[in-house]
Amino acid sequence: MITAAVLPAVAGAVAAPLLLEIKEHRSICGAQYDSVEAALTSFDVLDAAPAGAVAAGGRDRDCGDTDDHHATISRSYRTPRQDGSPGGIESFYRNLALRNGWRLLPAQGECVVKDVENTQVNLVVWVDPQRRDTYEVSASTWPC
């Protein structure tokens, strides 16, 4: 009888820190998502695409790292040809962001950021090396 009463108490004591960590992660990620969304408010660079590129689905949201709590909102695109220029795609987004209130961090090379309150949101373009007709553009609270 004592074992039946002790088991739920032990399980609760073990689960409580994990549940608190999950709650904290969701709360911090929510604030990080708000910062990313705020960076995209005046001009949503994730909705822009170079000529011929077509969105491959909707937006993805990720805040999977429970230690650092960095949020990312991204969108994937396909280009009409497999010989698309990664440099051309990257410069399209970099130039578009710079014209719309983002800035280049000189010390970080090609890092394009937008400051939102106390959070720095950066723009990242990743071209799939295996399929050069697919790329992803994201805004993230990950540091440059």
Side-chain angles (χ1 to χ4, degrees):
M1 200 48 105
I2 293 176
T3 304
V6 172
L7 209 56
V10 170
V14 170
L18 179 61
L19 293 174
L20 287 173
E21 184 176 329
I22 290 170
K23 183 179 178 184
E24 176 190 32
H25 178 68
R26 286 185 178 168
S27 173
I28 293 171
C29 285
Q32 295 291 318
Y33 282 129
D34 290 347
S35 294
V36 174
E37 292 286 356
L40 299 172
T41 298
S42 63
F43 178 78
D44 194 338
V45 70
L46 301 184
D47 284 340
V54 177
R59 291 174 180 231
D60 291 317
R61 294 168 65 103
D62 181 46
C63 191
D65 188 341
T66 57
D67 292 332
D68 295 324
H69 313 289
H70 293 291
T72 300
I73 300 176
S74 61
R75 191 157 197 191
S76 294
Y77 287 87
R78 295 195 62 156
T79 58
R81 300 182 319 266
Q82 287 189 342
D83 60 354
S85 162
I89 292 168
E90 291 167 355
S91 65
F92 169 85
Y93 284 100
R94 181 181 57 251
N95 293 337
L96 187 62
L98 293 174
R99 286 193 308 266
N100 286 282
W102 295 64
R103 64 186 173 87
L104 191 61
L105 286 181
Q108 303 296 330
E110 295 296 313
C111 190
V112 177
V113 299
K114 188 165 190 180
D115 296 310
V116 178
E117 295 178 15
N118 295 327
T119 304
Q120 195 171 72
V121 177
N122 75 71
L123 182 69
V124 176
V125 177
W126 178 79
V127 178
D128 187 336
Q130 302 301 315
R131 297 185 55 198
R132 292 182 55 167
D133 66 337
T134 304
Y135 71 91
E136 179 180 279
V137 60
S138 63
S140 175
T141 60
W142 279 99
C144 290

